[in-house]
Amino acid sequence: AQSVTQPDIHITVSEGASLELRCNYSYGATPYLFWYVQSPGQGLQLLLKYFSGDTLVQGIKGFEAEFKRSQSSFNLRKPSVHWSDAAEYFCAVGAPGAGSYQLTFGKGTKLSVIP
Amino acid sequence: EAQVTQNPRYLITVTGKKLTVTCSQNMNHEYMSWYRQDPGLGLRQIYYSMNVEVTDKGDVPEGYKVSRKEKRNFPLILESPSPNQTSLYFCASSQDGASDTQYFGPGTRLTVL
């Protein structure tokens, strides 16, 4: 069974500082990996996704993530955080290819930004 | 505008009173799913549907029912709600299953007294 671990429940950073949110997955092969963001009172929005190829993927709002097979990780990064980035971030894993119907989310990391 | 809509957005009910939360998408997506979000537990999948008349259980299906009679609609039914079903519920849709980008609705906050 696939699973996702986000080790940090809550992270606080200063505006302008760099950010890294951790995600570790468990899956027998290379899965499809996603990062979603949930702003307060909103639904989830896709930030970026990894299917194959280049292990460094770029997303919206200046975010990027790096897939590391050897570490079973897919960490999310941003070089300079803005106050509007305060939100909850979810990593998710899905089985690759057509016919994949179950998506497993991590428990989320809440990001607070200090002005 | 491409969107997933849910109704109602907020609902307070009592134990045992049947309720339905509706979900509709206007993107002609084949795949739809329901999640519940609880503090400290993240999102957990309740049910999903691969196409009309095709549904299957997710990770936490107990106490819920779904139906998919039309491609655009995927209602979530709680026939006898209990307080442990108090949660925030999200509907999502995509064209190509779980491996595709999910489009989420705005959420339905349900309280069962």
Side-chain angles (χ1 to χ4, degrees), chain B residues 53-101:
Chain B
E53 301 291 2
V54 185
T55 64
D56 206 350
K57 297 177 181 178
D59 296 318
V60 288
E62 293 77 22
Y64 304 95
K65 286 178 58 176
V66 294
S67 69
R68 187 93 180 272
K69 293 182 168 49
E70 305 167 280
K71 198 170 188 178
R72 64 183 293 128
N73 296 323
F74 190 44
L76 179 69
I77 303 158
L78 286 71
E79 295 208 324
S80 184
S82 62
N84 65 12
Q85 293 178 297
T86 293
S87 188
L88 179 59
Y89 291 87
F90 287 101
C91 179
S93 73
S94 75
Q95 181 54 40
D96 198 20
S99 59
D100 199 0
T101 300

Side-chain angles (χ1 to χ4, degrees), chain B residues 10 12 17 20 25 37 42 46 54 65 75 80-81 89 94 107 111:
Chain B
Y10 302 90
I12 300 174
K17 185 176 182 181
T20 299
Q25 50 94 4
Q37 183 179 20
I46 303 171
V54 185
K65 286 178 58 176
S80 184
Y89 291 87
S94 75
T111 301

Side-chain angles (χ1 to χ4, degrees), chain A residues 60-80:
Chain A
I60 62 171
K61 305 185 182 188
F63 285 92
E64 66 178 27
E66 186 171 13
F67 169 64
K68 292 186 177 180
R69 185 193 312 272
S70 62
Q71 299 176 19
S72 296
S73 69
F74 188 57
N75 295 349
L76 182 71
R77 301 194 295 246
K78 187 169 185 178
S80 177

Side-chain angles (χ1 to χ4, degrees), chain B residues 16-32:
Chain B
K17 185 176 182 181
K18 181 179 179 179
L19 67 92
T20 299
V21 183
T22 64
C23 173
S24 183
Q25 50 94 4
N26 63 0
M27 294 169 279
N28 202 36
H29 284 167
E30 294 191 346
Y31 176 83
M32 298 184 74

Side-chain angles (χ1 to χ4, degrees), chain A residues 32 36 38 49 51 100-101, chain B residues 31 37 40 90 98-99 101-102:
Chain A
Y32 287 2
Y36 285 85
Q38 184 182 29
K49 58 188 177 185
F51 287 174
S100 165
Y101 298 115
Chain B
Y31 176 83
Q37 183 179 20
F90 287 101
S99 59
T101 300
Q102 304 298 306

